[in-house]
């Protein structure tokens, strides 16, 4: 690969340009097998489109998440009722762990398009199947080689109905207990506010919002937004 190692690969926020490395030769997809208290988790990454973290770093984040959950003294029944927003999901590691733990629902979201595509790949790699995929080349205009994208079905369906609500086609894909979005936190908040929790007159849509941001990111602005839609915010 070729690129500036001092630049963060991806998109930090809605005001920043997208950054990626260039593949000079070969295939740069790799798979990390991450150890967790619930067993191994397979996380695939396209390296020239990913902020590269080695497995120990990912394992530490899982440990931090476990310690946070323990500090809340959740019972098994309470965990099974949790709705979690993985607001900056990256390749999906923490949200996938929570699904394995048995939470009610995880909403995966990331502003960086390749990250959300790999989240879908990793969900399926760990046994969580899609009900519907909404990938469309017009939506995912990457600077990278399109051959690295998974083969997916294109659907003409513009809305779906679940639990009594209508959803627009801003949703990338969904499964039985998860959804995937490719939006900034600001836009996600706006859409969820209009389509979900306001219809129930709820103050907060999620029990927990996880923010796992790049090291140089100023997390305060997105933390303020997360606090509007989640009871607790965990910054990893």
């Amino acid at each position: 690969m070729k690129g500036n190692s001092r630049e963060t690969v991806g998109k930090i926020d809605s005001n920043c340009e997208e950054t990626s490395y260039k593949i000079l030769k070969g295939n740069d997809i790799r798979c990390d097998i991450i150890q967790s208290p619930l067993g191994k988790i397979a996380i695939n990454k396209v390296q020239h489109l990913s902020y590269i973290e080695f497995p120990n770093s990912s394992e530490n984040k899982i440990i931090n998440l476990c310690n946070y959950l323990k500090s809340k003294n959740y019972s098994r029944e309470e965990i099974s009722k949790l709705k979690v927003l993985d607001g900056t999901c990256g390749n999906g590691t923490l949200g996938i762990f929570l699904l394995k733990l048995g939470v009610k629902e995880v909403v995966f979201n990331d502003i960086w398009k390749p990250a959300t595509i790999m989240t879908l790949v990793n969900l399926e790699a760990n046994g969580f199947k899609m009900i519907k995929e909404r990938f469309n080349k017009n939506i995912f205009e990457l600077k990278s080689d399109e051959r690295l994208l998974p083969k997916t079905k294109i659907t003409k369906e513009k809305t779906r109905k679940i639990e009594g609500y209508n959803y627009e086609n801003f949703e990338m894909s969904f499964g039985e207990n998860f959804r995937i979005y490719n939006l900034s936190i600001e836009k996600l908040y706006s859409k969820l506010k209009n389509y979900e929790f306001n219809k129930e007159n709820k103050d907060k849509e999620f029990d927990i919002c996880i923010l796992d941001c790049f090291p140089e990111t100023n997390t305060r602005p997105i933390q303020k937004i997360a606090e509007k839609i989640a009871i607790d915010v965990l910054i990893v």
Side-chain angles (χ1 to χ4, degrees):
M1 294 186 296
K2 180 181 179 180
N4 186 348
S5 61
R6 290 172 297 199
E7 293 182 351
T8 298
V9 174
K11 188 174 174 67
I12 295 176
D13 56 44
S14 56
N15 297 318
C16 294
E17 294 184 358
E18 299 178 351
T19 302
S20 62
Y21 293 143
K22 180 180 179 181
I23 296 180
L24 298 178
K25 187 176 182 180
N27 188 321
D28 71 333
I29 296 178
R30 89 180 203 205
C31 180
D32 292 335
I33 303 301
I34 297 171
Q35 302 293 334
S36 83
L38 301 176
K40 297 177 181 178
I41 300 175
I43 298 297
N44 298 278
K45 300 177 180 180
V46 181
Q47 294 186 104
H48 80 284
L49 296 174
S50 297
Y51 175 72
I52 300 300
E53 294 178 299
F54 292 97
N56 284 343
S57 176
S58 298
E59 291 167 15
N60 290 340
K61 290 178 181 180
I62 290 177
I63 292 171
N64 291 339
L65 176 57
C66 289
N67 290 337
Y68 165 81
L69 294 173
K70 288 179 182 178
S71 72
K72 295 293 182 179
N73 295 314
Y74 288 125
S75 66
R76 175 56 59 181
E77 181 180 0
E78 288 172 328
I79 287 176
S80 70
K81 295 178 180 179
L82 290 176
K83 295 182 69 176
V84 181
L85 170 62
D86 193 350
T88 52
C89 67
N91 294 304
T93 304
L94 295 178
I96 290 172
F97 172 77
L98 287 170
L99 288 175
K100 286 181 172 287
L101 188 63
V103 301
K104 180 179 180 180
E105 182 183 35
V106 175
V107 170
F108 295 86
N109 178 73
D110 202 288
I111 195 172
W112 180 228
K113 297 173 185 178
T116 45
I117 292 172
M118 292 312 296
T119 292
L120 183 150
V121 172
N122 290 325
L123 280 162
E124 293 200 320
N126 288 280
F128 300 100
K129 301 300 181 183
M130 303 295 131
I131 293 175
K132 185 76 68 178
E133 297 171 355
R134 288 204 170 100
F135 284 104
N136 187 311
K137 287 184 180 179
N138 293 328
I139 298 174
F140 304 105
E141 294 177 352
L142 304 180
K143 296 178 180 179
S144 61
D145 188 345
E146 286 187 353
R147 291 175 299 173
L148 296 180
L149 298 180
K151 294 181 179 180
T152 55
K153 297 178 182 178
I154 298 174
T155 175
K156 294 181 180 179
E157 181 187 14
K158 292 184 178 179
T159 61
R160 74 176 176 99
K161 195 172 185 180
I162 187 170
E163 295 180 355
Y165 302 120
N166 291 320
Y167 292 79
E168 286 190 334
N169 201 23
F170 60 84
E171 186 176 67
M172 287 174 55
S173 59
F174 61 91
E176 183 178 351
N177 55 353
F178 63 86
R179 288 176 272 154
I180 304 175
Y181 297 99
N182 170 217
L183 297 166
S184 67
I185 289 289
E186 299 92 331
K187 288 183 179 179
L188 180 66
Y189 166 66
S190 176
K191 289 184 179 293
L192 292 179
K193 182 173 182 294
N194 290 332
Y195 283 88
E196 294 185 24
F197 61 90
N198 265 8
K199 294 181 183 289
E200 286 188 336
N201 296 317
K202 292 167 61 177
D203 292 329
K204 304 291 177 71
E205 167 66 5
F206 298 98
D207 298 292
I208 304 168
C209 176
I210 300 172
L211 298 176
D212 180 12
C213 302
F214 295 126
E216 66 270 33
T217 303
N218 177 11
T219 60
R220 189 56 193 157
I222 60 175
Q223 182 180 347
K224 287 182 178 179
I225 297 172
E227 289 169 350
K228 295 179 181 180
I229 53 177
I231 296 171
D232 288 323
V233 178
L234 172 62
I235 299 177
V236 179

